Amino acid sequence: MQLQAFSFSMEQKKQNFVINRIESLKYAFIGAVYLIKTENAIKVHCVSTILLSLLGYFTNITRTEWMLQFLAIGLVISVEALNTSIEKIADFIQPDFDKKIGTIKDVSAGAVLFAGLFGAVIVAFIYIPKLMLFLSQ
C-alpha cells in the first residue's frame, strides 16, 4: 500500500515538473516579446537576422556556415537581452545617477560589444570569400 502512495507522489512530481517547464516557457516567450517590442537594439538584431538569413540563402552558404552564423546571432541577441536585464535591475536598485551603477552598465554594454565584434568576424569569414568570388567574375 505504501508503494502505491510513493509511486503516485512520484508521478505527481513528474507531472508538476512538466507543467512547470511549460509555464517557464510561457514566461520566456513573454520576455522575448517584451524585448522585441521595447528594445531598439533587439529590433536591429532581428532585422539583421532576417537580412543575414536572406543573404545566406542567396549565397548558398554551407550547413556549417549556417550553424556558425546562427550561433553568432544567438550569442549577440542573448548577450543583448542580458545587458537589458542588468540595466533594468541597476535602474531599479538606483534610479539616480551612481558612478558604480554606471560602471556596471558600461561593463554590461561592453559584453554586447565583444559579442557583436566577434559575431561580425564570423559573418566576415563567411561572406568576404563569397563577395571576392562574386567580384572576380
Side-chain angles (χ1 to χ4, degrees):
M1 194 72 170
Q2 288 227 346
L3 185 59
Q4 288 177 335
F6 176 74
S7 65
F8 174 74
S9 147
M10 290 299 290
E11 185 63 35
Q12 189 177 17
K13 284 183 182 180
K14 285 182 186 178
Q15 185 179 22
N16 289 340
F17 177 81
V18 172
I19 290 169
N20 290 340
R21 298 298 59 86
I22 292 169
E23 286 183 9
S24 293
L25 280 175
K26 177 181 82 171
Y27 295 122
F29 280 112
I30 290 170
V33 169
Y34 172 82
L35 283 167
I36 292 168
K37 285 183 175 181
T38 63
E39 295 300 315
N40 289 330
I42 296 290
K43 292 175 187 175
V44 169
H45 294 312
C46 289
V47 170
S48 298
T49 298
I50 293 166
L51 293 175
L52 283 171
S53 296
L54 290 171
L55 185 60
Y57 176 78
F58 288 115
T59 59
N60 200 28
I61 63 177
T62 66
R63 181 181 300 248
T64 302
E65 290 169 332
W66 276 114
M67 288 187 297
L68 290 171
Q69 178 171 294
F70 280 116
L71 180 64
I73 290 168
L75 174 68
V76 172
I77 292 174
S78 297
V79 173
E80 185 68 58
L82 289 171
N83 176 52
T84 299
S85 295
I86 290 168
E87 288 181 353
K88 299 279 184 200
I89 291 168
D91 290 342
F92 178 78
I93 291 170
Q94 180 55 272
D96 299 325
F97 177 78
D98 182 284
K99 189 174 179 178
K100 291 179 182 177
I101 293 290
T103 300
I104 291 166
K105 291 167 84 171
D106 290 346
V107 169
S108 180
V112 176
L113 178 64
F114 280 129
L117 288 174
F118 284 102
V121 169
I122 290 170
V123 167
F125 272 114
I126 293 170
Y127 292 107
I128 287 176
K130 295 178 184 323
L131 178 63
M132 295 302 212
L133 184 64
F134 176 77
L135 293 176
S136 68
Q137 292 178 353

